[in-house]
Amino acid sequence: MNATSRTRLNQTPEWAALGKHREQLGSSHLRQLFADDPERGTGYTLRVGDLHLDYSKHLVTDETLTLLRELAAATDVFGLRDAMFRGDKINTTEDRAVLHTALRAPREAVIEVDGENVVPAVHAVLDKMAAFSDRVRSGEWTGHTGKPIKNIVNIGIGGSDLGPAMAYEVLRSFTDRSLTFRFVSNVDGADLHEAVRDLDPAETLFIIASKTFTTIETITNATSARDWLLTGLRAGQEAVAKHFVALSTNAGKVADFGIDTDNMFEFWDWVGGRYSYDSAIGLSLMIAIGPDRFREMLDGFHLVDEHFRTAPAEENAPLLLGLLGVWYGAFFDAQSHAVLPYSHYLSKFTAYLQQLDMESNGKSVDRDGNPVDWQTGPVVWGTPGTNGQHAYYQLIHQGTKVIPADFIGFAQPVEDLLPGLVAQHDLLMANFFAQTQALAFGKTPDEVRAEGVPEELVAHKTFRGNHPTTTILADRLTPSVLGQLIALYEHKVFVQGAVWNIDSFDQWGVELGKVLAKKIEPVLTEGQGGEQLDSSTAALVSTYRELRGR
Ligand SMILES: O=P(O)(O)OC[C@H]1O[C@](O)(CO)[C@@H](O)[C@@H]1O
């Protein structure tokens, strides 16, 4: 279906049917839905690879799910999915294919862009990454002075930082603990300062990760890192080759920076930045966990790609999760979506998903440039669950907002946990299960009274419940499971963009601030051009200059 021929989403009969159904559902409570269907807790579940997914605690009935699937059919979600997997240029505003799925396709797969099979090039880069990783891990790759590399510093931002930084944390128990990994993204010099201050330049490798190799934050940090290295080594430009490698699509700019393009690991314009950590952008992760584990992670991604590509609508997990988000945004006015992992290792997982989801679906015009008059992407937020319980869960339980939430947990603690700490895992997971139970079923005023609570406190101690959650449970946090989880979210975001008829693969919204920052910088440093600023910004800039003694 052509985007232009599409009926506007909120004018489709399927949308109207969902609106009517929402009215009928009224304030139906999960307590009732569970009472009506004793099988609900086992029936509303899906299995994808190693992921057990429970969606029974959602404000949906069989009819809701049918109507949502009809909306997906009317908006041709699967048609767009097939176009993506085929390599069609579905990122229309940038005229690009969207083929992160090719990054984890098996060697023998054939996926064409402009008539050329891209899979051999993907595997050639993976092989080059593997050879390089092995050389660093084994100590064979030495720095300018002949010392083996002990420290790896990834410099990148957005998709060139969040993915590897997140995955490194997630898979820490699989990493080579004799190596130190740091991730620098912020143009605030403090970031690089803290990353390198205790490192020996002779043992340090910088990985400069930038799809475009023009991003000001990354190039500025990379330039400062080069100065730090050459000063520390008391060496000239010739030392760069042993201490800098690049991950990029832009060989020209990499060479301009002074990095030997033999030490460049390539990817392609059909890989979006926020979909790129399974490309060359994952080099730091591959060095950390080794090529075999990295490949296991890619296999995990691929498993969910295949599920999304082939599973029927009724069993298709990304479709289901995407549609649930559409449901809450449109018909419950939910503004945000919480992702609450019950694993310390997933501490950066939600930050990663923020870019994936919000840069993809934070749009307000449709594919044809018409304003949308339906909600698009939610605010994604969250931190590891137990910490959140003692901070913001109060608002989820008793506040006024509808906040659908994903709870992610694992049956086993990581393998190398100190034996004395293993017992804590059951307590962690007891919290995990208790929270979704409390959110769904709450506590009625009568239940509170039955505990002998004085009448004036009953309202305060009542829990409305009826807060929707998805539970994702896996046996163990492995590289494959991480790949499965990320692919699940990637495709969920895809489904929502398809229904909302927006381009989930561009990011024009980041441009204006970049342009303005370029104009403001000389005003800060030289004091020239301030008259072109609005009065608020001009006054702030002038105060800043005063404080800097300029
Ligand atoms: O990898 P690059 O080209 O340095 O871009 C970094 C990030 O900047 C953005 O373009 C946003 O400014 C992201 O989409 C991207 O992940």
Side-chain angles (χ1 to χ4, degrees), residues 412-440:
Q412 318 288 344
V414 299
E415 261 166 26
D416 67 348
L417 204 62
L418 291 173
L421 298 174
V422 171
Q424 291 183 205
H425 193 70
D426 288 330
L427 178 57
L428 169 73
M429 292 306 284
N431 277 278
F432 173 77
F433 295 117
Q435 287 296 329
T436 59
Q437 192 187 21
L439 286 166

PDB file of all heavy atoms in Angstrom, residues 412-440:
ATOM      1  N   GLN A 412      17.912 -17.071  36.336  1.00  0.00           N
ATOM      2  CA  GLN A 412      19.213 -17.374  36.952  1.00  0.00           C
ATOM      3  C   GLN A 412      20.030 -16.106  37.122  1.00  0.00           C
ATOM      4  O   GLN A 412      20.036 -15.266  36.230  1.00  0.00           O
ATOM      5  CB  GLN A 412      20.052 -18.303  36.055  1.00  0.00           C
ATOM      6  CG  GLN A 412      19.312 -19.426  35.405  1.00  0.00           C
ATOM      7  CD  GLN A 412      18.932 -20.503  36.379  1.00  0.00           C
ATOM      8  OE1 GLN A 412      19.467 -20.554  37.482  1.00  0.00           O
ATOM      9  NE2 GLN A 412      17.990 -21.341  36.000  1.00  0.00           N
ATOM     10  N   PRO A 413      20.767 -16.013  38.207  1.00  0.00           N
ATOM     11  CA  PRO A 413      21.745 -14.923  38.286  1.00  0.00           C
ATOM     12  C   PRO A 413      22.885 -15.210  37.313  1.00  0.00           C
ATOM     13  O   PRO A 413      23.007 -16.338  36.832  1.00  0.00           O
ATOM     14  CB  PRO A 413      22.240 -14.996  39.735  1.00  0.00           C
ATOM     15  CG  PRO A 413      21.952 -16.379  40.185  1.00  0.00           C
ATOM     16  CD  PRO A 413      20.802 -16.905  39.369  1.00  0.00           C
ATOM     17  N   VAL A 414      23.726 -14.217  37.037  1.00  0.00           N
ATOM     18  CA  VAL A 414      24.819 -14.478  36.094  1.00  0.00           C
ATOM     19  C   VAL A 414      25.770 -15.522  36.686  1.00  0.00           C
ATOM     20  O   VAL A 414      25.867 -15.661  37.914  1.00  0.00           O
ATOM     21  CB  VAL A 414      25.605 -13.190  35.725  1.00  0.00           C
ATOM     22  CG1 VAL A 414      24.698 -12.184  35.067  1.00  0.00           C
ATOM     23  CG2 VAL A 414      26.322 -12.622  36.913  1.00  0.00           C
ATOM     24  N   GLU A 415      26.476 -16.210  35.783  1.00  0.00           N
ATOM     25  CA  GLU A 415      27.240 -17.382  36.216  1.00  0.00           C
ATOM     26  C   GLU A 415      28.375 -17.076  37.181  1.00  0.00           C
ATOM     27  O   GLU A 415      28.664 -17.850  38.077  1.00  0.00           O
ATOM     28  CB  GLU A 415      27.788 -18.117  34.990  1.00  0.00           C
ATOM     29  CG  GLU A 415      26.920 -19.288  34.627  1.00  0.00           C
ATOM     30  CD  GLU A 415      27.231 -19.836  33.253  1.00  0.00           C
ATOM     31  OE1 GLU A 415      28.373 -19.682  32.781  1.00  0.00           O
ATOM     32  OE2 GLU A 415      26.297 -20.417  32.647  1.00  0.00           O
ATOM     33  N   ASP A 416      29.031 -15.906  37.001  1.00  0.00           N
ATOM     34  CA  ASP A 416      30.221 -15.683  37.830  1.00  0.00           C
ATOM     35  C   ASP A 416      29.922 -14.862  39.082  1.00  0.00           C
ATOM     36  O   ASP A 416      30.826 -14.314  39.691  1.00  0.00           O
ATOM     37  CB  ASP A 416      31.365 -15.075  37.012  1.00  0.00           C
ATOM     38  CG  ASP A 416      31.067 -13.659  36.549  1.00  0.00           C
ATOM     39  OD1 ASP A 416      29.904 -13.226  36.669  1.00  0.00           O
ATOM     40  OD2 ASP A 416      31.995 -12.993  36.077  1.00  0.00           O
ATOM     41  N   LEU A 417      28.638 -14.774  39.474  1.00  0.00           N
ATOM     42  CA  LEU A 417      28.298 -14.041  40.700  1.00  0.00           C
ATOM     43  C   LEU A 417      28.972 -14.733  41.889  1.00  0.00           C
ATOM     44  O   LEU A 417      29.003 -15.961  41.955  1.00  0.00           O
ATOM     45  CB  LEU A 417      26.778 -14.068  40.874  1.00  0.00           C
ATOM     46  CG  LEU A 417      26.141 -12.958  41.704  1.00  0.00           C
ATOM     47  CD1 LEU A 417      26.375 -11.589  41.066  1.00  0.00           C
ATOM     48  CD2 LEU A 417      24.635 -13.195  41.839  1.00  0.00           C
ATOM     49  N   LEU A 418      29.495 -13.919  42.819  1.00  0.00           N
ATOM     50  CA  LEU A 418      30.111 -14.517  44.010  1.00  0.00           C
ATOM     51  C   LEU A 418      29.099 -15.458  44.660  1.00  0.00           C
ATOM     52  O   LEU A 418      27.925 -15.075  44.819  1.00  0.00           O
ATOM     53  CB  LEU A 418      30.487 -13.422  45.005  1.00  0.00           C
ATOM     54  CG  LEU A 418      31.637 -12.491  44.598  1.00  0.00           C
ATOM     55  CD1 LEU A 418      31.780 -11.366  45.601  1.00  0.00           C
ATOM     56  CD2 LEU A 418      32.926 -13.283  44.465  1.00  0.00           C
ATOM     57  N   PRO A 419      29.524 -16.666  45.043  1.00  0.00           N
ATOM     58  CA  PRO A 419      28.563 -17.655  45.557  1.00  0.00           C
ATOM     59  C   PRO A 419      27.689 -17.092  46.684  1.00  0.00           C
ATOM     60  O   PRO A 419      26.504 -17.358  46.746  1.00  0.00           O
ATOM     61  CB  PRO A 419      29.453 -18.788  46.064  1.00  0.00           C
ATOM     62  CG  PRO A 419      30.747 -18.613  45.354  1.00  0.00           C
ATOM     63  CD  PRO A 419      30.895 -17.182  44.981  1.00  0.00           C
ATOM     64  N   GLY A 420      28.265 -16.260  47.538  1.00  0.00           N
ATOM     65  CA  GLY A 420      27.510 -15.709  48.663  1.00  0.00           C
ATOM     66  C   GLY A 420      26.374 -14.800  48.234  1.00  0.00           C
ATOM     67  O   GLY A 420      25.488 -14.490  49.035  1.00  0.00           O
ATOM     68  N   LEU A 421      26.406 -14.349  46.980  1.00  0.00           N
ATOM     69  CA  LEU A 421      25.390 -13.388  46.528  1.00  0.00           C
ATOM     70  C   LEU A 421      24.256 -14.043  45.749  1.00  0.00           C
ATOM     71  O   LEU A 421      23.248 -13.400  45.443  1.00  0.00           O
ATOM     72  CB  LEU A 421      26.053 -12.322  45.643  1.00  0.00           C
ATOM     73  CG  LEU A 421      27.122 -11.474  46.346  1.00  0.00           C
ATOM     74  CD1 LEU A 421      27.816 -10.544  45.357  1.00  0.00           C
ATOM     75  CD2 LEU A 421      26.502 -10.663  47.477  1.00  0.00           C
ATOM     76  N   VAL A 422      24.429 -15.324  45.439  1.00  0.00           N
ATOM     77  CA  VAL A 422      23.434 -16.006  44.600  1.00  0.00           C
ATOM     78  C   VAL A 422      22.062 -16.015  45.270  1.00  0.00           C
ATOM     79  O   VAL A 422      21.031 -15.830  44.623  1.00  0.00           O
ATOM     80  CB  VAL A 422      23.918 -17.436  44.261  1.00  0.00           C
ATOM     81  CG1 VAL A 422      22.824 -18.236  43.585  1.00  0.00           C
ATOM     82  CG2 VAL A 422      25.160 -17.365  43.386  1.00  0.00           C
ATOM     83  N   ALA A 423      22.078 -16.176  46.611  1.00  0.00           N
ATOM     84  CA  ALA A 423      20.802 -16.276  47.327  1.00  0.00           C
ATOM     85  C   ALA A 423      19.969 -15.002  47.182  1.00  0.00           C
ATOM     86  O   ALA A 423      18.744 -15.044  47.300  1.00  0.00           O
ATOM     87  CB  ALA A 423      21.065 -16.562  48.800  1.00  0.00           C
ATOM     88  N   GLN A 424      20.606 -13.870  46.916  1.00  0.00           N
ATOM     89  CA  GLN A 424      19.861 -12.613  46.788  1.00  0.00           C
ATOM     90  C   GLN A 424      18.953 -12.594  45.567  1.00  0.00           C
ATOM     91  O   GLN A 424      18.065 -11.759  45.456  1.00  0.00           O
ATOM     92  CB  GLN A 424      20.832 -11.417  46.721  1.00  0.00           C
ATOM     93  CG  GLN A 424      21.542 -11.167  48.027  1.00  0.00           C
ATOM     94  CD  GLN A 424      22.446  -9.938  48.013  1.00  0.00           C
ATOM     95  OE1 GLN A 424      23.386  -9.893  48.780  1.00  0.00           O
ATOM     96  NE2 GLN A 424      22.181  -8.962  47.158  1.00  0.00           N
ATOM     97  N   HIS A 425      19.221 -13.506  44.644  1.00  0.00           N
ATOM     98  CA  HIS A 425      18.471 -13.465  43.391  1.00  0.00           C
ATOM     99  C   HIS A 425      16.968 -13.695  43.611  1.00  0.00           C
ATOM    100  O   HIS A 425      16.131 -13.061  42.958  1.00  0.00           O
ATOM    101  CB  HIS A 425      19.031 -14.485  42.403  1.00  0.00           C
ATOM    102  CG  HIS A 425      18.520 -14.266  41.015  1.00  0.00           C
ATOM    103  ND1 HIS A 425      18.903 -13.188  40.240  1.00  0.00           N
ATOM    104  CD2 HIS A 425      17.625 -14.964  40.273  1.00  0.00           C
ATOM    105  CE1 HIS A 425      18.273 -13.237  39.080  1.00  0.00           C
ATOM    106  NE2 HIS A 425      17.487 -14.309  39.064  1.00  0.00           N
ATOM    107  N   ASP A 426      16.641 -14.588  44.540  1.00  0.00           N
ATOM    108  CA  ASP A 426      15.211 -14.856  44.781  1.00  0.00           C
ATOM    109  C   ASP A 426      14.517 -13.623  45.349  1.00  0.00           C
ATOM    110  O   ASP A 426      13.348 -13.362  45.031  1.00  0.00           O
ATOM    111  CB  ASP A 426      15.038 -16.049  45.728  1.00  0.00           C
ATOM    112  CG  ASP A 426      15.404 -17.359  45.035  1.00  0.00           C
ATOM    113  OD1 ASP A 426      15.233 -17.441  43.796  1.00  0.00           O
ATOM    114  OD2 ASP A 426      15.879 -18.285  45.713  1.00  0.00           O
ATOM    115  N   LEU A 427      15.233 -12.874  46.169  1.00  0.00           N
ATOM    116  CA  LEU A 427      14.633 -11.658  46.729  1.00  0.00           C
ATOM    117  C   LEU A 427      14.392 -10.629  45.623  1.00  0.00           C
ATOM    118  O   LEU A 427      13.336  -9.996  45.541  1.00  0.00           O
ATOM    119  CB  LEU A 427      15.563 -11.087  47.809  1.00  0.00           C
ATOM    120  CG  LEU A 427      15.101  -9.794  48.471  1.00  0.00           C
ATOM    121  CD1 LEU A 427      13.721  -9.943  49.103  1.00  0.00           C
ATOM    122  CD2 LEU A 427      16.117  -9.363  49.538  1.00  0.00           C
ATOM    123  N   LEU A 428      15.394 -10.507  44.748  1.00  0.00           N
ATOM    124  CA  LEU A 428      15.248  -9.613  43.588  1.00  0.00           C
ATOM    125  C   LEU A 428      14.001  -9.994  42.795  1.00  0.00           C
ATOM    126  O   LEU A 428      13.156  -9.158  42.463  1.00  0.00           O
ATOM    127  CB  LEU A 428      16.501  -9.714  42.712  1.00  0.00           C
ATOM    128  CG  LEU A 428      16.446  -9.059  41.332  1.00  0.00           C
ATOM    129  CD1 LEU A 428      16.505  -7.542  41.461  1.00  0.00           C
ATOM    130  CD2 LEU A 428      17.610  -9.535  40.450  1.00  0.00           C
ATOM    131  N   MET A 429      13.880 -11.286  42.503  1.00  0.00           N
ATOM    132  CA  MET A 429      12.791 -11.736  41.640  1.00  0.00           C
ATOM    133  C   MET A 429      11.443 -11.742  42.370  1.00  0.00           C
ATOM    134  O   MET A 429      10.393 -11.594  41.737  1.00  0.00           O
ATOM    135  CB  MET A 429      13.116 -13.107  41.049  1.00  0.00           C
ATOM    136  CG  MET A 429      14.274 -13.065  40.071  1.00  0.00           C
ATOM    137  SD  MET A 429      14.043 -11.833  38.751  1.00  0.00           S
ATOM    138  CE  MET A 429      12.860 -12.698  37.712  1.00  0.00           C
ATOM    139  N   ALA A 430      11.479 -11.874  43.687  1.00  0.00           N
ATOM    140  CA  ALA A 430      10.213 -11.755  44.443  1.00  0.00           C
ATOM    141  C   ALA A 430       9.662 -10.340  44.250  1.00  0.00           C
ATOM    142  O   ALA A 430       8.455 -10.145  44.062  1.00  0.00           O
ATOM    143  CB  ALA A 430      10.458 -12.045  45.925  1.00  0.00           C
ATOM    144  N   ASN A 431      10.554  -9.363  44.254  1.00  0.00           N
ATOM    145  CA  ASN A 431      10.126  -7.980  43.996  1.00  0.00           C
ATOM    146  C   ASN A 431       9.576  -7.836  42.578  1.00  0.00           C
ATOM    147  O   ASN A 431       8.577  -7.155  42.351  1.00  0.00           O
ATOM    148  CB  ASN A 431      11.300  -7.024  44.196  1.00  0.00           C
ATOM    149  CG  ASN A 431      11.486  -6.677  45.651  1.00  0.00           C
ATOM    150  OD1 ASN A 431      10.797  -5.802  46.175  1.00  0.00           O
ATOM    151  ND2 ASN A 431      12.375  -7.380  46.320  1.00  0.00           N
ATOM    152  N   PHE A 432      10.253  -8.456  41.659  1.00  0.00           N
ATOM    153  CA  PHE A 432       9.852  -8.410  40.244  1.00  0.00           C
ATOM    154  C   PHE A 432       8.398  -8.890  40.081  1.00  0.00           C
ATOM    155  O   PHE A 432       7.565  -8.217  39.486  1.00  0.00           O
ATOM    156  CB  PHE A 432      10.834  -9.306  39.492  1.00  0.00           C
ATOM    157  CG  PHE A 432      10.562  -9.561  38.039  1.00  0.00           C
ATOM    158  CD1 PHE A 432      10.849  -8.592  37.098  1.00  0.00           C
ATOM    159  CD2 PHE A 432      10.066 -10.790  37.602  1.00  0.00           C
ATOM    160  CE1 PHE A 432      10.643  -8.837  35.748  1.00  0.00           C
ATOM    161  CE2 PHE A 432       9.863 -11.039  36.256  1.00  0.00           C
ATOM    162  CZ  PHE A 432      10.153 -10.059  35.329  1.00  0.00           C
ATOM    163  N   PHE A 433       8.111 -10.041  40.672  1.00  0.00           N
ATOM    164  CA  PHE A 433       6.757 -10.587  40.526  1.00  0.00           C
ATOM    165  C   PHE A 433       5.747  -9.785  41.355  1.00  0.00           C
ATOM    166  O   PHE A 433       4.608  -9.564  40.926  1.00  0.00           O
ATOM    167  CB  PHE A 433       6.727 -12.066  40.936  1.00  0.00           C
ATOM    168  CG  PHE A 433       7.553 -12.937  40.015  1.00  0.00           C
ATOM    169  CD1 PHE A 433       8.660 -13.638  40.483  1.00  0.00           C
ATOM    170  CD2 PHE A 433       7.238 -13.046  38.669  1.00  0.00           C
ATOM    171  CE1 PHE A 433       9.430 -14.434  39.635  1.00  0.00           C
ATOM    172  CE2 PHE A 433       7.994 -13.843  37.805  1.00  0.00           C
ATOM    173  CZ  PHE A 433       9.102 -14.528  38.291  1.00  0.00           C
ATOM    174  N   ALA A 434       6.173  -9.352  42.540  1.00  0.00           N
ATOM    175  CA  ALA A 434       5.243  -8.633  43.424  1.00  0.00           C
ATOM    176  C   ALA A 434       4.772  -7.333  42.793  1.00  0.00           C
ATOM    177  O   ALA A 434       3.599  -6.958  42.915  1.00  0.00           O
ATOM    178  CB  ALA A 434       5.932  -8.336  44.758  1.00  0.00           C
ATOM    179  N   GLN A 435       5.673  -6.663  42.117  1.00  0.00           N
ATOM    180  CA  GLN A 435       5.304  -5.346  41.588  1.00  0.00           C
ATOM    181  C   GLN A 435       4.234  -5.438  40.497  1.00  0.00           C
ATOM    182  O   GLN A 435       3.290  -4.656  40.486  1.00  0.00           O
ATOM    183  CB  GLN A 435       6.549  -4.624  41.055  1.00  0.00           C
ATOM    184  CG  GLN A 435       7.466  -4.122  42.157  1.00  0.00           C
ATOM    185  CD  GLN A 435       6.814  -3.063  43.045  1.00  0.00           C
ATOM    186  OE1 GLN A 435       5.966  -2.294  42.611  1.00  0.00           O
ATOM    187  NE2 GLN A 435       7.203  -3.027  44.309  1.00  0.00           N
ATOM    188  N   THR A 436       4.377  -6.378  39.580  1.00  0.00           N
ATOM    189  CA  THR A 436       3.356  -6.453  38.521  1.00  0.00           C
ATOM    190  C   THR A 436       2.027  -6.910  39.116  1.00  0.00           C
ATOM    191  O   THR A 436       0.958  -6.506  38.662  1.00  0.00           O
ATOM    192  CB  THR A 436       3.768  -7.384  37.367  1.00  0.00           C
ATOM    193  OG1 THR A 436       3.987  -8.700  37.877  1.00  0.00           O
ATOM    194  CG2 THR A 436       5.016  -6.888  36.676  1.00  0.00           C
ATOM    195  N   GLN A 437       2.111  -7.734  40.155  1.00  0.00           N
ATOM    196  CA  GLN A 437       0.888  -8.179  40.829  1.00  0.00           C
ATOM    197  C   GLN A 437       0.202  -6.978  41.501  1.00  0.00           C
ATOM    198  O   GLN A 437      -1.001  -6.750  41.328  1.00  0.00           O
ATOM    199  CB  GLN A 437       1.264  -9.228  41.877  1.00  0.00           C
ATOM    200  CG  GLN A 437       0.087  -9.971  42.439  1.00  0.00           C
ATOM    201  CD  GLN A 437       0.498 -10.888  43.594  1.00  0.00           C
ATOM    202  OE1 GLN A 437       1.550 -10.709  44.220  1.00  0.00           O
ATOM    203  NE2 GLN A 437      -0.324 -11.868  43.868  1.00  0.00           N
ATOM    204  N   ALA A 438       0.991  -6.200  42.242  1.00  0.00           N
ATOM    205  CA  ALA A 438       0.420  -5.028  42.925  1.00  0.00           C
ATOM    206  C   ALA A 438      -0.130  -4.032  41.917  1.00  0.00           C
ATOM    207  O   ALA A 438      -1.216  -3.470  42.105  1.00  0.00           O
ATOM    208  CB  ALA A 438       1.492  -4.367  43.787  1.00  0.00           C
ATOM    209  N   LEU A 439       0.615  -3.830  40.829  1.00  0.00           N
ATOM    210  CA  LEU A 439       0.152  -2.849  39.834  1.00  0.00           C
ATOM    211  C   LEU A 439      -1.154  -3.298  39.189  1.00  0.00           C
ATOM    212  O   LEU A 439      -2.048  -2.492  38.939  1.00  0.00           O
ATOM    213  CB  LEU A 439       1.228  -2.639  38.761  1.00  0.00           C
ATOM    214  CG  LEU A 439       2.442  -1.813  39.225  1.00  0.00           C
ATOM    215  CD1 LEU A 439       3.606  -1.937  38.236  1.00  0.00           C
ATOM    216  CD2 LEU A 439       2.056  -0.341  39.394  1.00  0.00           C
ATOM    217  N   ALA A 440      -1.269  -4.573  38.926  1.00  0.00           N
ATOM    218  CA  ALA A 440      -2.474  -5.062  38.251  1.00  0.00           C
ATOM    219  C   ALA A 440      -3.687  -5.078  39.183  1.00  0.00           C
ATOM    220  O   ALA A 440      -4.769  -4.618  38.830  1.00  0.00           O
ATOM    221  CB  ALA A 440      -2.233  -6.469  37.701  1.00  0.00           C
TER     222      ALA A 440
END
